PDB file of all heavy atoms in Angstrom:
ATOM      1  N   CYS A 131      43.527  86.607  52.042  1.00 92.00           N
ATOM      2  CA  CYS A 131      44.764  85.823  52.132  1.00 92.00           C
ATOM      3  C   CYS A 131      45.964  86.669  51.709  1.00 92.00           C
ATOM      4  O   CYS A 131      45.833  87.544  50.849  1.00 92.00           O
ATOM      5  CB  CYS A 131      44.699  84.597  51.206  1.00 92.00           C
ATOM      6  SG  CYS A 131      43.701  83.250  51.818  1.00 92.00           S
ATOM      7  N   PRO A 132      47.145  86.395  52.273  1.00 93.00           N
ATOM      8  CA  PRO A 132      48.340  87.096  51.807  1.00 93.00           C
ATOM      9  C   PRO A 132      48.590  86.786  50.330  1.00 93.00           C
ATOM     10  O   PRO A 132      48.344  85.674  49.878  1.00 93.00           O
ATOM     11  CB  PRO A 132      49.464  86.533  52.675  1.00 93.00           C
ATOM     12  CG  PRO A 132      48.862  85.575  53.619  1.00 93.00           C
ATOM     13  CD  PRO A 132      47.413  85.439  53.317  1.00 93.00           C
ATOM     14  N   THR A 133      49.065  87.753  49.575  1.00 92.00           N
ATOM     15  CA  THR A 133      49.242  87.579  48.128  1.00 92.00           C
ATOM     16  C   THR A 133      50.424  86.692  47.774  1.00 92.00           C
ATOM     17  O   THR A 133      50.465  86.132  46.687  1.00 92.00           O
ATOM     18  CB  THR A 133      49.422  88.937  47.435  1.00 92.00           C
ATOM     19  OG1 THR A 133      50.627  89.532  47.913  1.00 92.00           O
ATOM     20  CG2 THR A 133      48.238  89.846  47.693  1.00 92.00           C
ATOM     21  N   LEU A 134      51.395  86.580  48.655  1.00 88.00           N
ATOM     22  CA  LEU A 134      52.566  85.724  48.445  1.00 88.00           C
ATOM     23  C   LEU A 134      53.287  86.023  47.131  1.00 88.00           C
ATOM     24  O   LEU A 134      53.881  85.150  46.514  1.00 88.00           O
ATOM     25  CB  LEU A 134      52.163  84.245  48.495  1.00 88.00           C
ATOM     26  CG  LEU A 134      51.437  83.803  49.777  1.00 88.00           C
ATOM     27  CD1 LEU A 134      50.969  82.364  49.651  1.00 88.00           C
ATOM     28  CD2 LEU A 134      52.335  83.991  50.986  1.00 88.00           C
ATOM     29  N   GLY A 135      53.216  87.272  46.684  1.00 92.00           N
ATOM     30  CA  GLY A 135      53.902  87.670  45.453  1.00 92.00           C
ATOM     31  C   GLY A 135      53.186  87.280  44.174  1.00 92.00           C
ATOM     32  O   GLY A 135      53.733  87.437  43.081  1.00 92.00           O
ATOM     33  N   ALA A 136      51.965  86.776  44.274  1.00 92.00           N
ATOM     34  CA  ALA A 136      51.209  86.362  43.082  1.00 92.00           C
ATOM     35  C   ALA A 136      50.885  87.567  42.210  1.00 92.00           C
ATOM     36  O   ALA A 136      50.765  88.691  42.691  1.00 92.00           O
ATOM     37  CB  ALA A 136      49.917  85.666  43.495  1.00 92.00           C
ATOM     38  N   THR A 137      50.747  87.290  40.934  1.00 93.00           N
ATOM     39  CA  THR A 137      50.334  88.315  39.982  1.00 93.00           C
ATOM     40  C   THR A 137      49.100  87.815  39.247  1.00 93.00           C
ATOM     41  O   THR A 137      48.791  86.620  39.262  1.00 93.00           O
ATOM     42  CB  THR A 137      51.443  88.623  38.965  1.00 93.00           C
ATOM     43  OG1 THR A 137      51.747  87.428  38.240  1.00 93.00           O
ATOM     44  CG2 THR A 137      52.695  89.148  39.663  1.00 93.00           C
ATOM     45  N   THR A 138      48.410  88.722  38.597  1.00 93.00           N
ATOM     46  CA  THR A 138      47.237  88.352  37.818  1.00 93.00           C
ATOM     47  C   THR A 138      47.157  89.247  36.591  1.00 93.00           C
ATOM     48  O   THR A 138      47.525  90.424  36.663  1.00 93.00           O
ATOM     49  CB  THR A 138      45.944  88.473  38.658  1.00 93.00           C
ATOM     50  OG1 THR A 138      44.835  88.009  37.885  1.00 93.00           O
ATOM     51  CG2 THR A 138      45.684  89.890  39.108  1.00 93.00           C
ATOM     52  N   PRO A 139      46.712  88.714  35.465  1.00 93.00           N
ATOM     53  CA  PRO A 139      46.586  89.541  34.269  1.00 93.00           C
ATOM     54  C   PRO A 139      45.332  90.413  34.281  1.00 93.00           C
ATOM     55  O   PRO A 139      45.203  91.313  33.472  1.00 93.00           O
ATOM     56  CB  PRO A 139      46.512  88.516  33.135  1.00 93.00           C
ATOM     57  CG  PRO A 139      45.960  87.290  33.783  1.00 93.00           C
ATOM     58  CD  PRO A 139      46.452  87.299  35.188  1.00 93.00           C
ATOM     59  N   GLY A 140      44.422  90.170  35.214  1.00 91.00           N
ATOM     60  CA  GLY A 140      43.171  90.931  35.270  1.00 91.00           C
ATOM     61  C   GLY A 140      43.119  91.828  36.489  1.00 91.00           C
ATOM     62  O   GLY A 140      44.074  91.928  37.260  1.00 91.00           O
ATOM     63  N   THR A 141      41.999  92.487  36.657  1.00 93.00           N
ATOM     64  CA  THR A 141      41.780  93.347  37.818  1.00 93.00           C
ATOM     65  C   THR A 141      41.234  92.496  38.951  1.00 93.00           C
ATOM     66  O   THR A 141      40.208  91.833  38.798  1.00 93.00           O
ATOM     67  CB  THR A 141      40.769  94.465  37.476  1.00 93.00           C
ATOM     68  OG1 THR A 141      41.285  95.221  36.380  1.00 93.00           O
ATOM     69  CG2 THR A 141      40.528  95.373  38.662  1.00 93.00           C
ATOM     70  N   GLN A 142      41.930  92.502  40.091  1.00 93.00           N
ATOM     71  CA  GLN A 142      41.498  91.743  41.263  1.00 93.00           C
ATOM     72  C   GLN A 142      41.802  92.532  42.527  1.00 93.00           C
ATOM     73  O   GLN A 142      42.809  93.248  42.591  1.00 93.00           O
ATOM     74  CB  GLN A 142      42.206  90.379  41.340  1.00 93.00           C
ATOM     75  CG  GLN A 142      41.823  89.397  40.258  1.00 93.00           C
ATOM     76  CD  GLN A 142      40.392  88.890  40.408  1.00 93.00           C
ATOM     77  OE1 GLN A 142      39.740  89.053  41.426  1.00 93.00           O
ATOM     78  NE2 GLN A 142      39.886  88.270  39.343  1.00 93.00           N
ATOM     79  N   VAL A 143      40.959  92.381  43.522  1.00 91.00           N
ATOM     80  CA  VAL A 143      41.203  92.977  44.841  1.00 91.00           C
ATOM     81  C   VAL A 143      42.484  92.380  45.420  1.00 91.00           C
ATOM     82  O   VAL A 143      43.287  93.066  46.027  1.00 91.00           O
ATOM     83  CB  VAL A 143      40.011  92.684  45.781  1.00 91.00           C
ATOM     84  CG1 VAL A 143      40.294  93.143  47.201  1.00 91.00           C
ATOM     85  CG2 VAL A 143      38.749  93.316  45.254  1.00 91.00           C
ATOM     86  N   ASN A 144      42.659  91.092  45.224  1.00 94.00           N
ATOM     87  CA  ASN A 144      43.829  90.341  45.663  1.00 94.00           C
ATOM     88  C   ASN A 144      44.267  89.520  44.455  1.00 94.00           C
ATOM     89  O   ASN A 144      43.451  88.825  43.860  1.00 94.00           O
ATOM     90  CB  ASN A 144      43.429  89.432  46.829  1.00 94.00           C
ATOM     91  CG  ASN A 144      44.543  88.542  47.334  1.00 94.00           C
ATOM     92  OD1 ASN A 144      45.431  88.128  46.593  1.00 94.00           O
ATOM     93  ND2 ASN A 144      44.484  88.210  48.616  1.00 94.00           N
ATOM     94  N   PRO A 145      45.533  89.567  44.038  1.00 93.00           N
ATOM     95  CA  PRO A 145      45.947  88.852  42.831  1.00 93.00           C
ATOM     96  C   PRO A 145      45.752  87.332  42.898  1.00 93.00           C
ATOM     97  O   PRO A 145      45.782  86.667  41.876  1.00 93.00           O
ATOM     98  CB  PRO A 145      47.417  89.226  42.656  1.00 93.00           C
ATOM     99  CG  PRO A 145      47.859  89.769  43.950  1.00 93.00           C
ATOM    100  CD  PRO A 145      46.654  90.303  44.641  1.00 93.00           C
ATOM    101  N   LEU A 146      45.549  86.782  44.090  1.00 92.00           N
ATOM    102  CA  LEU A 146      45.264  85.349  44.198  1.00 92.00           C
ATOM    103  C   LEU A 146      43.828  85.015  43.808  1.00 92.00           C
ATOM    104  O   LEU A 146      43.491  83.855  43.576  1.00 92.00           O
ATOM    105  CB  LEU A 146      45.504  84.855  45.626  1.00 92.00           C
ATOM    106  CG  LEU A 146      46.947  84.694  46.053  1.00 92.00           C
ATOM    107  CD1 LEU A 146      47.010  84.293  47.517  1.00 92.00           C
ATOM    108  CD2 LEU A 146      47.657  83.670  45.190  1.00 92.00           C
ATOM    109  N   MET A 147      42.971  86.009  43.772  1.00 92.00           N
ATOM    110  CA  MET A 147      41.554  85.739  43.513  1.00 92.00           C
ATOM    111  C   MET A 147      41.314  85.473  42.034  1.00 92.00           C
ATOM    112  O   MET A 147      41.992  85.966  41.168  1.00 92.00           O
ATOM    113  CB  MET A 147      40.682  86.909  43.971  1.00 92.00           C
ATOM    114  CG  MET A 147      40.651  87.094  45.470  1.00 92.00           C
ATOM    115  SD  MET A 147      40.031  85.641  46.374  1.00 92.00           S
ATOM    116  CE  MET A 147      41.553  84.832  46.845  1.00 92.00           C
ATOM    117  N   ASP A 148      40.309  84.637  41.802  1.00 91.00           N
ATOM    118  CA  ASP A 148      39.850  84.327  40.460  1.00 91.00           C
ATOM    119  C   ASP A 148      38.516  83.630  40.589  1.00 91.00           C
ATOM    120  O   ASP A 148      37.888  83.680  41.650  1.00 91.00           O
ATOM    121  CB  ASP A 148      40.870  83.474  39.692  1.00 91.00           C
ATOM    122  CG  ASP A 148      40.901  83.845  38.215  1.00 91.00           C
ATOM    123  OD1 ASP A 148      39.868  83.671  37.541  1.00 91.00           O
ATOM    124  OD2 ASP A 148      41.940  84.327  37.739  1.00 91.00           O
ATOM    125  N   ASP A 149      38.106  82.923  39.551  1.00 91.00           N
ATOM    126  CA  ASP A 149      36.807  82.255  39.503  1.00 91.00           C
ATOM    127  C   ASP A 149      36.907  80.886  40.190  1.00 91.00           C
ATOM    128  O   ASP A 149      36.920  79.849  39.526  1.00 91.00           O
ATOM    129  CB  ASP A 149      36.386  82.114  38.040  1.00 91.00           C
ATOM    130  CG  ASP A 149      34.993  81.538  37.882  1.00 91.00           C
ATOM    131  OD1 ASP A 149      34.217  81.582  38.847  1.00 91.00           O
ATOM    132  OD2 ASP A 149      34.689  81.031  36.781  1.00 91.00           O
ATOM    133  N   TYR A 150      36.995  80.871  41.519  1.00 93.00           N
ATOM    134  CA  TYR A 150      37.105  79.612  42.260  1.00 93.00           C
ATOM    135  C   TYR A 150      35.764  78.904  42.243  1.00 93.00           C
ATOM    136  O   TYR A 150      34.739  79.473  42.593  1.00 93.00           O
ATOM    137  CB  TYR A 150      37.583  79.868  43.694  1.00 93.00           C
ATOM    138  CG  TYR A 150      39.032  80.262  43.732  1.00 93.00           C
ATOM    139  CD1 TYR A 150      39.412  81.586  43.841  1.00 93.00           C
ATOM    140  CD2 TYR A 150      40.021  79.302  43.614  1.00 93.00           C
ATOM    141  CE1 TYR A 150      40.746  81.955  43.846  1.00 93.00           C
ATOM    142  CE2 TYR A 150      41.363  79.652  43.606  1.00 93.00           C
ATOM    143  CZ  TYR A 150      41.717  80.976  43.726  1.00 93.00           C
ATOM    144  OH  TYR A 150      43.038  81.326  43.719  1.00 93.00           O
TER     145      TYR A 150
END
Side-chain angles (χ1 to χ4, degrees):
C131 283
T133 64
L134 304 174
T137 60
T138 184
T141 301
Q142 292 291 346
V143 173
N144 177 329
L146 285 176
M147 292 301 97
D148 216 297
D149 185 19
Y150 288 99

